[in-house]
Amino acid sequence: MRIVVFGANGPTGRQVTEQAIAEGHTVTAVTRRPAEFPLSGPCLRVAGADVLDPGAVERAVAGQDAVISTLGVPYSRSPVTVYSEGITHITRAMTRHGVRRLVCVTSTVLFDAPAPGETLFFRKVLEPLIARTIGRTVYDDMRRMEETVRDSDRAWTVLRPAGLFDTDAVSDYRVATSRLPGRFTSRADLGNALLREAVGDRHVGAFVDVRTTEGVPGFLDVIRKEAFGGRK
């Protein structure tokens, strides 16, 4: 299968790209800094492009079977538009070139429902602080991105992971179309879930939670390392 990955040089993008190559897919990895991309192989093409450049996006999308977007930016007080503008260019290019399958990433926060079994402090204080104050501009733009995806005529799936952390291998993670218990999703699991959706049609037209259930770190450890890095 021919797959193009936007945001390929982020931690999740590299997971998707590496796993897709290992499975024998032909991958176009799109990054603004192609010289820094650490992966290589006969089935990999690295394309230097900015998702905010519609012409560059169209060239990357042409001839593909599926698109995976792992775009991510740090929390910021300034308005964020990368998600919504980027996905607008991607969906338009997909329509022009007849590319059907789109899979992308937002956040479990966008379920607008508490995680099952979560503590009162996390549900009423900590998560609202992150969602409505610290990360408000990022999540606002993720919502705009989801609206664009939902209104497109593509076969789309949006994955909504929880707090992201790094592991060496894919685990026996869970997916569901409603919010799952737990606070974390490993990037290896998220990358695998993105790939599984891209090559299949299990959750077309759905928002899907992805949750790691084994080997998860402590909450404060992840917050200290990840919260302000924007490392999708």
Side-chain angles (χ1 to χ4, degrees), residues 73-76 78-84 137-138 140-142 144:
V73 297
Y75 290 156
S76 171
S78 302
V80 173
T81 62
V82 171
Y83 297 99
S84 56
T137 58
V138 166
D140 284 349
D141 199 41
M142 283 183 175
R144 291 189 289 269

Side-chain angles (χ1 to χ4, degrees), residues 201-224:
D201 287 333
R202 182 181 175 190
H203 294 112
V204 171
F207 300 98
V208 179
D209 200 350
V210 185
R211 206 57 57 103
T212 298
T213 60
E214 55 190 57
V216 296
F219 178 72
L220 292 180
D221 292 337
V222 171
I223 291 299
R224 279 194 293 265

Side-chain angles (χ1 to χ4, degrees), residues 73-171:
V73 297
Y75 290 156
S76 171
R77 293 183 180 180
S78 302
V80 173
T81 62
V82 171
Y83 297 99
S84 56
E85 288 187 38
I87 209 67
T88 296
H89 296 156
I90 289 170
T91 53
R92 287 176 179 172
M94 292 177 68
T95 299
R96 289 191 189 101
H97 291 279
V99 181
R100 173 180 171 273
R101 193 70 173 105
L102 170 64
V103 185
C104 52
V105 180
T106 57
S107 169
T108 191
V109 168
L110 273 64
F111 277 110
D112 291 324
E118 193 50 83
T119 64
L120 184 65
F121 175 75
F122 187 89
R123 186 170 68 248
K124 295 294 187 180
V125 178
L126 193 54
E127 186 168 87
L129 174 66
I130 294 172
R132 299 171 191 168
T133 303
I134 298 172
R136 180 181 58 81
T137 58
V138 166
Y139 296 125
D140 284 349
D141 199 41
M142 283 183 175
R143 292 184 191 280
R144 291 189 289 269
M145 183 180 86
E146 288 194 349
E147 290 175 4
T148 299
V149 170
R150 187 176 57 240
D151 292 342
S152 74
D153 60 353
R154 302 296 88 190
W156 59 268
T157 302
V158 177
L159 297 190
R160 290 172 166 175
L164 296 172
F165 70 101
D166 293 319
T167 55
D168 295 329
V170 177
S171 73

Side-chain angles (χ1 to χ4, degrees), residues 39-89:
L39 303 176
S40 62
C43 294
L44 174 66
R45 178 173 74 93
V46 182
D50 191 325
V51 75
L52 300 182
D53 179 346
V57 170
E58 188 159 345
R59 289 189 293 274
V61 167
Q64 305 293 336
D65 298 313
V67 176
I68 297 176
S69 173
T70 62
L71 298 174
V73 297
Y75 290 156
S76 171
R77 293 183 180 180
S78 302
V80 173
T81 62
V82 171
Y83 297 99
S84 56
E85 288 187 38
I87 209 67
T88 296
H89 296 156

